[in-house]
Amino acid sequence: MEGQVVGRVFRLFRRRAGPPQDNSGEALKEPERTQEHSLPNFAGGQHFFEYLLVVSLKKKRSQDDYEPIITYQFPKRENLLRGQQEEEERLLKAIPLFCFPDGNEWASLTEYPRETFSFVLTNVDGSRKFGYCRRLLPAGPGPRLPKVYCIISCIGCFGLFSKILDEVEKRHQISMAVIYPFMQGLREAAFPAPGKTVTLKSFIPDSGTEFISLTRPLDSHLEHVDFSSLLHCLSFEQILQIFASAVLERKIIFLAEGLSTLSQCIHAAAALLYPFSWAHTYIPVVPESLLATVCCPTPFMVGVQMRFQQEVMDSPMEEVLLVNLCEGTFLMSVGDEKDILPPKLQDGILDSLGQGINEFKTAEQINEHVSGPFVQFFVKTVGHYASYIKREANGQGHFQERPFCKALTSKTNRRFVKKFVKTQLFSLFIQEAEKSKNPPAGYFQQKILEYEEQKKQKKPRGKTVK
């Protein structure tokens, strides 16, 4: 299997929905780690979600520690075959640990800042399950423990599910019974295509009928991303060094206090690699019991809460980039991060990022502004890949690596690309391109065509770029 597999194998099946169920459950077994592949480009039409779960903290018997368990599940799967039931049980045992990655030491609270974050569980066949979480204090008087609403879906669209969690939270303050018709209506609605809207009708006691509109972003390759947190925590130069480390598939650890910050920043860092996909260990928020992940000899991109900083620093690690998002500093680095990318292209990215960044108001505008220069970087370095796939009569392609690299006139670009073509990022991408008779008609291909057209319109200067 490509990449570092870190986790139980979840072979999941779509099944008929039954009525919701409350359950207290027994102590859940600790899951192992999970791997993440690329976010799929969903065309629309499939179900929004597979489960809505409430994960609560329950005190262990004869101990002061707490353990997270599922106390509400919708829908409840029925009439499963034995193998299907075992797979579902493994999935449901994994989820609570990622809803409360902080460990088991908790105390009742009167105030707690709401946090929205996500995690990813991936099967060896590449199928993904996204967990969208809202952690908060339930309504009520006096000290109490936080709980998590968690929506499990095979769809990557963080902004859309954050809005759904807002609606779930609003209804839970009234009664769990009010959630059921809303989520049932959501399950029956088709997931919209990029740029389209689905409207749900929902009745709330004492408020009447509400119409809720859920719009999917037009640019689907950025719909699981919000670059705002990354820009708030780090400079453009630091973001560029993280990108350079990720391009060469190195080990990257993010440290932050909040789950929301960790989740958003690591998703943003991975999104900078578009159209390529991080195929190694990927855990947005590492649970305490899985901190040994940072000792892995293979590439990883993980987020760790600041309370575990010393434990991470004391772990045996080599060639790692350790990013403190709270202070905006690198605590550890290899030392060559500024020299990985071609200097001229680095300067171009930094210039583009700095132009008018303060003028953008919406998350979509910021996302497009930040992502654009990195997409252009790949257009300029590897955008000519399709011309170097030699096809057989049956349509199967074979990538011609040597002439592909030699086609670059810039020595610094060629030096970088010779390293990049050896990564799994590039290998997985080119394997898919070899299978397809035509380049995929996506955002990256659109930018390649635009760049080629611009080059045609420019007069040749007869000069080799150094």
Side-chain angles (χ1 to χ4, degrees), residues 289-356:
S289 57
L290 300 183
L291 285 176
T293 301
V294 302
C295 302
C296 286
T298 50
F300 57 74
M301 190 183 297
V302 301
V304 177
Q305 287 183 286
M306 192 62 73
R307 68 180 72 185
F308 305 125
Q309 176 182 341
Q310 196 56 51
E311 191 169 343
V312 169
M313 299 285 286
D314 293 341
S315 300
M317 299 181 295
E318 294 181 359
E319 295 193 336
V320 65
L321 181 62
L322 182 57
V323 184
N324 185 333
L325 293 170
C326 295
E327 300 293 334
T329 58
F330 292 162
L331 300 180
M332 297 175 67
S333 65
V334 177
D336 66 345
E337 286 83 2
K338 294 181 179 179
D339 303 319
I340 293 172
L341 307 179
K344 187 174 181 180
L345 295 184
Q346 281 198 77
D347 292 342
I349 292 174
L350 291 173
D351 289 344
S352 296
L353 288 174
Q355 289 176 7

Side-chain angles (χ1 to χ4, degrees), residues 104-124:
N104 297 326
E105 297 180 5
W106 285 88
S108 296
L109 305 165
T110 55
E111 292 184 4
Y112 184 84
R114 172 193 301 171
E115 293 191 281
T116 305
F117 57 99
S118 64
F119 59 85
V120 183
L121 301 174
T122 306
N123 190 2
V124 290

Side-chain angles (χ1 to χ4, degrees), residues 136-425:
L136 42 70
L137 278 186
R144 51 210 183 276
L145 293 166
K147 64 170 58 176
V148 174
Y149 305 120
C150 179
I151 297 175
I152 301 297
S153 175
C154 64
I155 297 168
C157 192
F158 190 84
L160 201 61
F161 281 93
S162 293
K163 187 171 181 180
I164 293 171
L165 285 168
D166 289 341
E167 298 297 329
V168 170
E169 179 187 345
K170 181 166 68 175
R171 284 157 178 77
H172 189 263
Q173 292 171 352
I174 302 169
S175 167
M176 290 299 293
V178 183
I179 294 178
Y180 173 66
F182 170 71
M183 295 306 289
Q184 183 62 39
L186 192 63
R187 271 187 70 81
E188 293 170 357
F191 190 70
K196 301 300 182 181
T197 298
V198 62
T199 301
L200 301 176
K201 189 164 119 177
S202 178
F203 178 78
I204 298 181
D206 301 327
S207 298
T209 301
E210 288 188 355
F211 292 91
I212 301 152
S213 295
L214 300 171
T215 302
R216 185 177 176 191
L218 182 61
D219 191 356
S220 59
H221 85 276
L222 293 176
E223 63 187 352
H224 195 59
V225 185
D226 184 349
F227 284 109
S228 300
S229 288
L230 196 65
L231 294 175
H232 178 74
C233 295
L234 301 170
S235 67
F236 293 145
E237 290 79 5
Q238 290 170 319
I239 293 171
L240 193 59
Q241 290 177 58
I242 291 170
F243 170 75
S245 297
V247 161
L248 291 191
E249 297 180 324
R250 292 182 173 178
K251 305 165 192 171
I252 307 173
I253 304 171
F254 294 91
L255 291 170
E257 293 284 358
L259 301 177
S260 299
T261 300
L262 275 178
S263 177
Q264 290 176 15
C265 286
I266 196 169
H267 283 311
L272 294 176
L273 298 172
Y274 174 84
F276 304 94
S277 305
W278 184 263
H280 300 277
T281 306
Y282 179 90
I283 311 178
V285 184
V286 178
E288 181 182 18
S289 57
L290 300 183
L291 285 176
T293 301
V294 302
C295 302
C296 286
T298 50
F300 57 74
M301 190 183 297
V302 301
V304 177
Q305 287 183 286
M306 192 62 73
R307 68 180 72 185
F308 305 125
Q309 176 182 341
Q310 196 56 51
E311 191 169 343
V312 169
M313 299 285 286
D314 293 341
S315 300
M317 299 181 295
E318 294 181 359
E319 295 193 336
V320 65
L321 181 62
L322 182 57
V323 184
N324 185 333
L325 293 170
C326 295
E327 300 293 334
T329 58
F330 292 162
L331 300 180
M332 297 175 67
S333 65
V334 177
D336 66 345
E337 286 83 2
K338 294 181 179 179
D339 303 319
I340 293 172
L341 307 179
K344 187 174 181 180
L345 295 184
Q346 281 198 77
D347 292 342
I349 292 174
L350 291 173
D351 289 344
S352 296
L353 288 174
Q355 289 176 7
I357 184 64
N358 296 321
E359 298 174 7
F360 300 107
K361 304 299 181 184
T362 67
E364 289 77 11
Q365 290 174 331
I366 294 172
N367 286 350
E368 182 61 37
H369 178 78
V370 174
S371 173
F374 294 95
V375 174
Q376 280 300 120
F377 170 84
F378 287 125
V379 167
K380 292 176 181 178
T381 52
V382 298
H384 58 299
Y385 74 93
S387 301
Y388 293 88
I389 297 179
K390 188 176 180 181
R391 302 271 171 202
E392 295 179 0
N394 63 2
Q396 176 61 40
H398 298 281
F399 179 61
Q400 310 296 301
E401 181 181 313
R402 191 180 182 90
F404 169 77
C405 293
K406 288 182 70 175
L408 292 164
T409 55
S410 164
K411 291 181 180 179
T412 54
N413 288 8
R414 195 184 315 134
R415 194 178 304 125
F416 164 77
V417 169
K418 283 182 177 180
K419 293 179 181 178
F420 183 57
V421 294
K422 305 301 182 184
T423 65
Q424 282 196 37
L425 284 171

